[in-house]
Amino acid sequence: MTQNAILLLQAGNAGMMNLVFIGAMIVIFYLFLIRPQQKRQKEQKSFNEGLQKGDEVVTASGIIGRINKLSETEATLEVSNKTFIRVTRSAISKEMTESFVSEGDDQDK
């Protein structure tokens, strides 16, 4: 009889431990998945807002070009001598541009 009472008392703590575990999982998801993604989106947005004529950029599809004209939603890139293409500003990738620029700096040395 006393063993059954002890088991019943221990079962009450299991529910509280499950809540703590679920809370810990939510915190871990926020710290490792949601927060870094929001930070990258914020950096990409500020990068797109800071684009200027003459910047050399890379699009998400891998096209390398120099910005010739900018509007609110589009950018015109010069990909070759007198060859221009229009792309949306959101297609210009911050990560690919940074890797392209740093790679170009290494080749100059």
Side-chain angles (χ1 to χ4, degrees):
M1 196 77 144
T2 58
Q3 288 179 339
N4 289 339
I6 292 172
L7 290 175
L8 287 175
L9 290 174
Q10 289 178 346
N13 288 337
M16 185 60 136
M17 289 303 291
N18 284 339
L19 287 177
V20 169
F21 181 71
I22 290 172
M25 291 290 291
I26 290 171
V27 169
I28 289 171
F29 272 109
Y30 176 76
L31 291 175
F32 290 108
L33 297 175
I34 297 169
R35 190 167 160 244
Q37 181 63 29
Q38 289 175 341
K39 184 178 177 184
R40 279 192 295 272
Q41 287 174 346
K42 189 176 184 182
E43 289 174 354
Q44 180 70 30
K45 183 179 179 184
S46 65
F47 172 76
N48 278 341
E49 291 171 352
L51 290 174
Q52 297 176 351
K53 184 177 178 180
D55 288 347
E56 194 158 333
V57 295
V58 180
T59 65
S61 60
I63 298 172
I64 301 169
R66 188 174 307 276
I67 297 176
N68 188 19
K69 189 191 319 184
L70 282 171
S71 70
E72 285 189 31
T73 58
E74 293 181 351
T76 303
L77 300 180
E78 183 176 8
V79 293
S80 183
N81 193 15
K82 296 184 181 180
T83 305
F84 301 96
I85 60 170
R86 287 180 14 203
V87 296
T88 59
R89 283 180 80 140
S90 60
I92 299 172
S93 172
K94 175 185 183 295
E95 288 84 15
M96 294 175 71
T97 299
E98 286 179 347
S99 66
F100 173 73
V101 170
S102 65
E103 184 179 291
D105 291 343
D106 292 343
Q107 290 177 356
D108 292 341
K109 292 180 182 179

